Amino acid sequence: MGNIKTIGILTSGGDAPGMNAAIRAVTRTAIYRGFRVMGIMRGYYGLVFNEIEEFTSKSVSNIIQQGGTILKTARCKEFTTAEGRKTAYENMQRAGIDALVVIGGDGSLTGARIFAEEYDIPIVGLPGTIDNDLGGTDRTIGYDTALNTIIDAVDKIRDTATSHERLFFVEVMGNRAGYLALNGAIASGAEAAIIPEMETEIDQLADLVNRGFRKSKNSAIVLVAENPTTGGALGLAQRIKEEFPEYDARVTILGHLQRGGSPTAADRILASRMGAQAITALDEGQRNVMIGIKNGELVYVPFSKATTHTRNIDLEGIELVKMLSI
Ligand code: ATP
């Protein structure tokens, strides 16, 4: 698109491993293609409060292996108001920014959609969240690293679970989706996964206990997606205490350690491909789309679709966990 000269880049919402690899790819591809790049600090906060600096190829040196985001990230209340977005637009204009690349989750992309509707700004999004809960893409940047962190933790918990003959509930992140819990359970050999997508199907806890895991096993690990509908690990442990007091249940909440760490090869490659594609998209005149990946191919997903979470998790995975944990 001939009239874009300067591209602004920001990371917003929860951080995810691989965001730095994406920042690097966006910056270097843009510079390679002759654009100027402006780094916007702390997500939309930096647009509203004018924390913007020019990025060179060197600004993104030595970051591909780092978790977190060198641009920092924030949740910005001001940007959710029309007045805040007006200030953001004025600051963008003052900095000479003609287009934006926004890396973040559903909230960040919703903000991008609203901003692009109000002002005539081309925006391309990248799915940056460990939760894998965006529409129109098979994978989000950070998901694979978080999954590997989870299985590493569960492997360690397994040692103590086996030694003490206990039932362990391990709570993992995932926001609206059960991908981390389900695929974490498959990859760590857990006895069950309790996920929001199943909440109306069966009483997953009763199902686990009624399967009588004690008949053949002395310990069990259950991965629980953090979500009000699953009851969380603490809620499930409380139920065990009340309904199945013969079991000794323990809880581990993995929390923010799932967000950290050096990105895996898969996340670095995904972020690099998507980051480069974001610049191609702007160059082609695309706007208001997120870069997604479907069956290995990069695709353009309208923001409205990206932010609509479809419950397309493969529930056969639940059966697989059951079958493989006999
Ligand atoms: P994660 O999936 O890791 O939580 P996220 O991108 O969904 O990341 P949010 O906190 O939901 O994180 O959103 C990040 C920021 O995006 C918000 O702090 C706000 O500045 C902006 N944002 C979210 N929703 C809106 C909205 N409806 N209108 C304008 N801006 C929004």
Side-chain angles (χ1 to χ4, degrees), residues 188-246:
S188 63
E191 276 62 34
I194 296 188
I195 61 173
E197 289 84 348
M198 287 286 284
E199 105 254 18
T200 53
E201 312 266 323
I202 45 162
D203 181 342
Q204 299 173 73
L205 184 65
D207 180 58
L208 170 74
V209 176
N210 294 333
R211 272 195 274 144
F213 70 89
R214 268 252 161 122
K215 284 188 194 127
S216 57
K217 294 192 164 192
N218 290 326
S219 67
I221 293 184
V222 179
L223 264 66
V224 184
E226 57 153 27
N227 190 292
T229 62
T230 63
L234 286 168
L236 291 167
Q238 186 59 32
R239 274 193 62 196
I240 288 286
K241 217 167 151 187
E242 288 161 12
E243 298 171 36
F244 310 98
E246 64 275 28

Side-chain angles (χ1 to χ4, degrees), residues 12-16 19 43-45 73-81 85 103-115 128-131 133-134 175-176 259:
S12 169
D15 65 313
M19 278 184 164
Y44 294 120
Y45 182 93
T73 182
R75 311 214 189 244
C76 175
K77 247 199 290 175
E78 290 79 1
F79 193 76
T80 61
T81 67
R85 291 191 294 276
I103 308 170
D106 65 310
S108 305
L109 299 182
T110 300
R113 178 180 57 74
I114 293 168
F115 196 37
T129 169
I130 65 166
D131 300 327
D133 65 341
L134 292 169
N175 194 17
R176 305 169 289 183
R259 291 249 188 96

